[in-house]
Amino acid sequence: MSGNRDCGSALVSPNATNAVGSLPKAPLKGYTITCVVLIVCVACTLGYDIGVMGGAIIFMARTLNLSTTKEEIAVGCLNFVSGIGALFTCPLNERIGSPMTIFWSMFLYIIGMTIIALAYSFEALLIGRMTVGIGVGMGFSVCPQYIAEISPTAYRGFLVSCFEIAINVGLVAGYLGGIMFYSLPEEYNWRLMMVLPLPLAFICMLCMLRMPHSPRWLCASNRTEEAET
């Protein structure tokens, strides 16, 4: 029981009252802003993959001699596989925490996009898309939760919405990436589309190693003193 009280004190401000509307709106902490900005960048990279395939698949089909059915599988498999990735995210998140879960999400994303960029067969393309799909599913599942757990109550809805908006920004960036490389030879223009977000994804992956765990996860892991700070 004492552990539960400690966790409660770590997650709820001492000035909090029963009326949500009367909660004081304290300024955001620097680490909260840093975490949210980083997660927004993660969301942009994840959304980019969804958007860029609209243009890239045209050139993929010509270069790899894909039939219509194979095109549909290559594009549509991500939605199915990302659902599977999301299912396994919860137990992984409870075990290693949100920052490390996002780290592995970005790791799979980078590996998958690299495989796609180097693909010379439908099988390699499919493996890359499925790898990316698992990473996307993990990221879409854990990122909003992480933002919610580190955000003050008064800002929580707004900050979680930033993640959703960033996904759409990534979608637009994917379409712009397709336009950027459209005029290049089709043997490699779609490969450049796959490589374009990798520097940002790599930076995000490394930065997650420095991000703090959420108070909820720390309390659940019996690290109450860290949660209170």
Side-chain angles (χ1 to χ4, degrees):
M1 293 295 291
S2 60
N4 292 335
R5 286 196 296 270
D6 291 339
C7 289
S9 65
L11 296 171
V12 181
S13 168
N15 296 322
T17 62
N18 290 331
V20 175
S22 60
L23 284 171
K25 195 169 184 178
L28 288 170
K29 295 181 179 180
Y31 92 91
T32 302
I33 296 174
T34 302
C35 292
V36 172
V37 169
L38 181 59
I39 297 303
V40 163
C41 292
V42 170
C44 287
T45 60
L46 298 178
Y48 175 91
D49 173 72
I50 300 173
V52 76
M53 283 300 292
I57 191 61
I58 299 173
F59 305 106
M60 288 179 178
R62 295 173 183 170
T63 304
L64 303 179
N65 297 317
L66 302 180
S67 65
T68 302
T69 300
K70 289 182 178 180
E71 289 183 45
E72 294 171 350
I73 294 174
V75 175
C77 71
L78 184 135
N79 293 328
F80 176 76
V81 177
S82 62
I84 297 176
L87 290 176
F88 292 98
T89 300
C90 182
L92 181 64
N93 185 32
E94 292 300 315
R95 183 176 179 84
I96 65 176
S98 296
M100 287 307 300
T101 302
I102 299 171
F103 171 88
W104 287 112
S105 167
M106 298 309 298
F107 177 80
L108 291 173
Y109 178 88
I110 292 171
I111 294 298
M113 293 293 273
T114 302
I115 294 173
I116 295 172
L118 299 175
Y120 281 92
S121 66
F122 170 71
E123 291 75 16
L125 174 63
L126 185 61
I127 291 173
R129 288 288 291 169
M130 293 177 69
T131 305
V132 171
I134 295 174
V136 169
M138 291 173 62
F140 281 179
S141 177
V142 72
C143 286
Q145 177 182 339
Y146 181 54
I147 294 177
E149 291 178 353
I150 64 173
S151 302
T153 305
Y155 298 94
R156 189 167 297 150
F158 168 74
L159 294 179
V160 172
S161 297
C162 289
F163 173 78
E164 304 297 334
I165 295 172
I167 294 174
N168 292 282
V169 172
L171 284 166
V172 174
Y175 290 120
L176 293 177
I179 295 173
M180 183 186 305
F181 298 114
Y182 181 83
S183 59
L184 296 178
E186 60 186 38
E187 289 80 8
Y188 61 83
N189 61 354
W190 60 271
R191 301 182 191 276
L192 294 176
M193 296 178 197
M194 300 300 111
V195 172
L196 183 61
L198 294 188
L200 178 59
F202 186 74
I203 292 172
C204 290
M205 182 184 72
L206 294 182
C207 288
M208 292 313 304
L209 296 174
R210 303 288 296 175
M211 291 298 102
H213 290 287
S214 69
R216 184 205 64 81
W217 186 88
L218 291 171
C219 286
S221 302
N222 296 320
R223 295 161 61 177
T224 307
E225 292 183 2
E226 294 181 54
E228 292 174 345
T229 59

